[in-house]
Amino acid sequence: MSTAGKVIKCKAAVCLEVKKPFSIVEIEVAPPKAHEVRIKILATGICRSDDHAVSGSLYVPFPVVLGHEAAGVVESVGEGVTKVKPGDKVIPLFVPQCDECSACLHPKANLCTNNDLANTSGLMSDGTSRFTYNGKPLHHFASTSTFTEYTVVHENSAAKIDDAAPPEKVCLIGCGFSTGYGAALKTAQVEPGSTCAVFGLGGVGLSTVMGCKAAGASRIIGVDINKDKFAKAKELGVTDCINPQDFDKPIQDVLVEMTKGGVDYSFEVIGRTETMIAALASCQMNYGTSVMVGVAPSASQITFHPMLLFTGRTWKGSVFGGWKSKEAVPKLVSDFMAKKFTLDPLITHTLPFDKINEGFELLRKGISIRTVLLF
Ligand code: COD
Ligand code: ZN
């Protein structure tokens, strides 16, 4: 029996309050309105940004359905939807692509102005929610909300992908993989033979390493305070691993010495202001480029010596790897299907959806790279 046009009751992991575990409850998911798509989620990854939202370091309105790294199948579409149809395999996009705003129209930009990352309204574009729990609305998250069996997104927040793509793997293309890989390939445009430093060897940092390697970097230095991350980093192309806690001087000084003047490209993939400055200072002072991939806690500010930039360094930010989401995601999925890169090393754990709290504990304890939850 078709569910199109009807409210769907389904299981979701709801964050009722900041810093509280997820509650697995039954919620109601309203049918998609005009230009919206209702998606049955098949697999969703746990990303550190979800944890930042739980802990309050990333501001989101509660109660909320978090999750933004997933793959699923279109269950039904609202009026006027032309790009996807029921049965299509899709990846929800936390950076939409409307193809109309100044960013979408500019060849160098990818952060569509219709994103819900900066203002975090937690609502659909008409100012309402499609989720209800106990008769009260729940907030959406990052235009996606994937910790639920069914979600509703705007059609600009869904990319149709190859029907044969395995959802339990390509879900990572919805965030972690693309964010890191693109930071190296697209934002920094790492050149063959260059030297790179990647600060933070989590799922996104390792994807940055994969991007540096794919671009032909000859030296990739991994920086992390958890030495358990080093073995996998080396497998993926890191040539030297360093732990800032092993040195009695700032890590930027260590990197400048190791590379006789600083790296060509550095990437901050942690989300801390101190490591952002360290990454900037560790790139070559004339021509080095440092890319900020991590987002620091909502209220934080950075103070830095202007000389760090005056000498010629470039400091850039990268959201979703600089990719224009709707057009890049299907191509990245095709590249995965063509074995141009692998996602297996990033997926350390797979758990049933009900074990979401366990999945977050694995991330908090530094044990997992990516946990994929299956429905
Ligand atoms: N020095 C060196 N390494 C450190 C330090 C430190 N002071 N602190 C932590 N680390 C290491 C940890 O040991 C860990 O290995 C790594 O840094 C971080 O990895 P994870 O697994 O916690 O995180 P990821 O890879 O899933 O995500 C990292 C991001 C930076 C992407 C994320 O935290 C973030 O800031 N996201 C916001 C950016 C963004 O684009 N968001 C949109 C959706 S993700
Ligand atoms: Zn993410």
Side-chain angles (χ1 to χ4, degrees):
M1 205 178 60
S2 168
T3 44
K6 297 177 187 150
V7 169
I8 293 180
K9 286 189 177 184
C10 71
K11 202 159 56 172
V14 178
C15 235
L16 294 167
E17 283 172 67
V18 68
K19 294 191 174 79
K20 290 279 157 61
F22 290 87
S23 306
I24 310 284
V25 296
E26 187 180 81
I27 65 163
E28 276 132 41
V29 183
K33 293 191 182 176
H35 298 289
E36 294 176 357
V37 181
R38 190 160 58 182
I39 302 168
K40 180 175 169 49
I41 301 291
L42 300 172
T44 180
I46 296 179
C47 174
R48 180 63 76 173
S49 301
D50 298 308
D51 191 42
H52 286 334
V54 175
S55 71
S57 73
L58 171 72
Y59 169 76
V60 297
F62 286 82
V64 60
V65 180
L66 296 172
H68 61 281
E69 182 180 86
V73 171
V74 174
E75 173 271 338
S76 62
V77 298
E79 230 176 276
V81 171
T82 54
K83 305 268 164 39
V84 293
K85 56 179 188 317
D88 281 352
K89 205 172 261 184
V90 290
I91 286 183
L93 306 169
F94 70 86
V95 173
Q97 185 181 340
C98 74
D99 288 327
E100 284 170 8
C101 73
S102 57
C104 284
L105 292 174
H106 198 284
K108 287 188 183 166
N110 79 315
L111 185 53
C112 173
T113 55
N114 290 304
N115 77 76
D116 194 30
L117 298 173
N119 303 320
T120 52
S121 73
L123 299 169
M124 298 300 286
S125 50
D126 67 349
T128 63
S129 167
R130 301 292 162 271
F131 301 127
T132 318
Y133 171 56
N134 270 348
K136 297 208 177 94
L138 295 169
H139 291 94
H140 292 248
F141 172 62
S143 323
T144 46
S145 289
T146 61
F147 293 159
T148 165
E149 286 177 297
Y150 287 88
T151 191
V152 177
V153 305
H154 193 277
E155 65 171 329
N156 294 331
S157 273
K160 177 174 161 33
I161 58 163
D162 185 341
D163 278 339
E168 71 282 7
K169 300 205 169 151
V170 298
C171 58
L172 265 59
I173 292 175
C175 177
F177 174 76
S178 309
T179 298
Y181 197 63
L185 284 176
K186 194 127 176 80
T187 307
Q189 310 217 344
V190 169
E191 291 133 341
S194 49
T195 297
C196 303
V198 179
F199 285 66
L201 300 171
V204 184
L206 290 176
S207 303
T208 308
V209 168
M210 287 161 83
C212 293
K213 176 124 199 253
S218 56
R219 193 170 184 197
I220 307 170
I221 306 169
V223 183
D224 204 296
I225 48 171
N226 180 352
K227 63 177 174 18
D228 294 344
K229 304 278 170 145
F230 293 166
K232 182 146 283 172
K234 285 193 170 155
E235 239 176 77
L236 291 171
V238 165
T239 51
D240 317 61
C241 287
I242 52 174
N243 180 347
Q245 292 164 342
D246 291 343
F247 300 91
D248 50 16
K249 57 183 164 194
I251 199 66
Q252 52 269 43
D253 295 356
V254 175
L255 281 158
V256 168
E257 264 172 40
M258 277 174 81
T259 55
K260 300 194 171 47
V263 298
D264 300 308
Y265 299 97
S266 65
F267 300 87
E268 201 282 350
V269 205
I270 303 166
R272 297 173 59 92
T273 52
E274 314 88 86
T275 40
M276 288 170 182
I277 297 287
L280 176 67
S282 61
C283 73
Q284 212 282 346
M285 69 173 180
N286 293 263
Y287 53 78
T289 296
S290 187
V291 181
M292 212 185 259
V293 185
V295 171
S298 300
S300 54
Q301 304 266 324
I302 287 190
T303 309
F304 68 98
H305 200 291
M307 201 53 87
L308 279 170
L309 287 185
F310 176 74
T311 56
R313 289 181 180 91
T314 301
W315 207 1
K316 287 184 162 188
S318 179
V319 181
F320 196 57
W323 307 106
K324 282 193 188 289
S325 60
K326 209 167 48 181
E327 62 190 60
V329 163
K331 288 185 194 147
L332 287 165
V333 170
S334 302
D335 285 354
F336 169 77
M337 298 301 279
K339 299 195 166 40
K340 291 191 185 160
F341 58 83
T342 165
L343 294 167
D344 290 344
L346 303 176
I347 305 168
T348 50
H349 299 76
T350 302
L351 290 174
F353 179 59
D354 290 4
K355 298 208 166 158
I356 184 168
N357 286 310
E358 209 174 291
F360 272 79
E361 278 313 309
L362 291 167
L363 179 70
R364 289 172 191 143
K365 289 185 181 141
I367 298 169
S368 59
I369 298 293
R370 271 298 192 265
T371 295
V372 172
L373 303 170
L374 299 177
F375 288 81

